[in-house]
Every structure is written in C-alpha cells, then in structure tokens.
Amino acid sequence: MLLDENPSTLIHHTIGNFNIAPDKQAVSRINDSLATLQQSRDLRIREAESALRKLSRHLQSLNTQHDEAVVAHDASKHSTAMVELDTKKFRVAKAASELEIESERLESELEMLKERLADLEAQGIEGDEPTRREREADDSILLRLKIYRALGIDIEPDEAGNFTKAVIRNSRKSDVHVVNLDPKFSRFFYSNYFWSTMQG
C-alpha cells in the first residue's frame, strides 16, 4: 500500500514528478527583478524628494524676494517716473518733428539755391539784361551820391529806399540846411535851390 511508504519519500517523488525546478528558478528571477525594481523605485523616490526639497527652498527664496520687492515698491514713485518718461517722450517726438520740418525747409531752400546758381552760371559774369540794367542804375545812383557828397550834400533815403531828405553843408559859413524832398517839385527846382544854398 501507498500509506505503508514513508510520507517524505512520497512527497519527494511527487515534487520530482511536478518538475518544479524551472518554476523555482523563475520565481527566483522574479524576486530578483522585484528587488531590483524596488531599489530603482526607492532611488527615484529619493531623487524626487531631493529635487522637491530643492524646489521648495528655491520657491521660498523667490517668495521672500517677491515680498521684499512688494514692500520696497512705491506706487507713487512709479507713477511719477512714468509721467516723467511720457513727458520726455513727448519732448523728443516734438523735437524730432521740428527737426524734420526744418530739414525739409532747408532741403527746399537748397534746391532753390541750386536752381539760382544754375541760372547765374548760365547767364555768365555779366548776368541777364534786367540784372545789367539794374546794376547800371545802381551804379548811376552811387555816382550821383558821390558827386553830391563831394559838394557837401548828403541825400538820405527813407525806409522804402526813396530819397526824401537832403542835408546841405556850407563849409564857408559852417552852416547846415535840412531839405525835405517833395516829388511835386522838379529836379531843376531842387538843383537851383541846392546851388543857391551852397553859394549863399
């Protein structure tokens, strides 16, 4: 009978018949893998806890800096600084606009002067006919004034450039006559008057 055999022998044979060696090896490998995974998990947990503590310290430092900045911040000074910056910005913009306008004006004036220079160069040294006539008239006036001054007569122009007053000096008598020139009298009349005054 089976029960007459030693139970340990039966168990041993039963275990041998089940062939549990590969299962034991698998269980051993699984236990090793679980131990490795547990070690890796513990290591990651420690690293995460260390990073969390570091981030907590950094957050606390930032909170402290923020609190100090909030305490040190003066809203009235900030608004005053903003107003000053806006004023400076407006002044700079205005100055830039004025400079741009002045630049455009100077460019326009430069173009006009270039055109004038080109005209003068085209006319030559003597200039055009109206210019020559005007210069000759001016030369004639200057010549007359020189002659008058040589005779002791100073002709004075008004604000419009018209000759309206004559100062006649008589060196022999140390006398001075001031004559207002009126266009209704002829040049012949004034010539005789000047001559008689100088001779008298």
Side-chain angles (χ1 to χ4, degrees):
M1 290 183 57
L2 291 171
L3 295 176
D4 291 338
E5 294 184 16
N6 188 359
S8 62
T9 304
L10 289 174
I11 292 171
H12 183 67
H13 286 300
T14 303
I15 292 172
N17 289 334
F18 277 113
N19 192 19
I20 63 171
D23 293 335
K24 289 173 65 178
Q25 290 176 358
V27 170
S28 177
R29 287 195 302 273
I30 290 171
N31 286 333
D32 290 340
S33 296
L34 287 174
T36 303
L37 288 174
Q38 184 64 37
Q39 290 176 357
S40 176
R41 182 175 177 273
D42 293 342
L43 179 60
R44 289 182 181 178
I45 289 174
R46 285 195 297 272
E47 289 176 352
E49 289 175 347
S50 175
L52 179 61
R53 286 192 295 271
K54 184 177 179 181
L55 289 174
S56 296
R57 289 193 298 271
H58 187 58
L59 176 62
Q60 185 176 1
S61 175
L62 290 176
N63 285 333
T64 303
Q65 292 177 8
H66 176 263
D67 293 340
E68 290 175 354
V70 169
V71 170
H73 176 68
D74 189 345
S76 62
K77 288 183 179 179
H78 177 72
S79 61
T80 303
M82 292 301 294
V83 170
E84 290 178 357
L85 289 175
D86 286 342
T87 303
K88 289 180 180 179
K89 178 181 176 182
F90 175 75
R91 288 177 182 168
V92 169
K94 183 179 178 183
S97 176
E98 291 175 352
L99 288 174
E100 185 176 356
I101 293 171
E102 181 66 11
S103 174
E104 291 176 357
R105 186 189 69 78
L106 291 175
E107 286 179 2
S108 175
E109 186 176 342
L110 177 61
E111 289 300 320
M112 289 180 3
L113 290 174
K114 286 180 179 178
E115 293 175 3
R116 178 67 179 151
L117 177 61
D119 291 340
L120 292 174
E121 288 177 348
Q123 294 169 8
I125 297 175
E126 293 296 323
D128 58 358
E129 188 62 27
T131 303
R132 284 195 295 273
R133 288 179 183 169
E134 184 178 347
R135 188 169 57 249
E136 289 172 359
D138 290 343
D139 291 344
S140 174
I141 292 173
L142 289 173
L143 181 59
R144 289 180 193 170
L145 290 175
K146 285 182 180 178
I147 293 172
Y148 286 143
R149 286 196 185 104
L151 295 173
I153 302 172
D154 288 330
I155 308 295
E156 298 180 1
D158 60 7
E159 295 178 356
N162 299 317
F163 295 102
T164 58
K165 189 192 305 184
V167 179
I168 305 168
R169 294 180 177 80
N170 189 332
S171 58
R172 288 181 296 178
K173 291 186 174 182
S174 298
D175 194 10
V176 175
H177 292 276
V178 178
V179 179
N180 291 320
L181 303 179
D182 193 334
K184 67 183 180 180
F185 295 108
S186 67
R187 293 183 180 179
F188 179 75
F189 168 79
Y190 281 115
S191 297
N192 288 334
Y193 182 77
F194 291 168
W195 188 255
S196 65
T197 303
M198 287 187 298
Q199 295 298 320

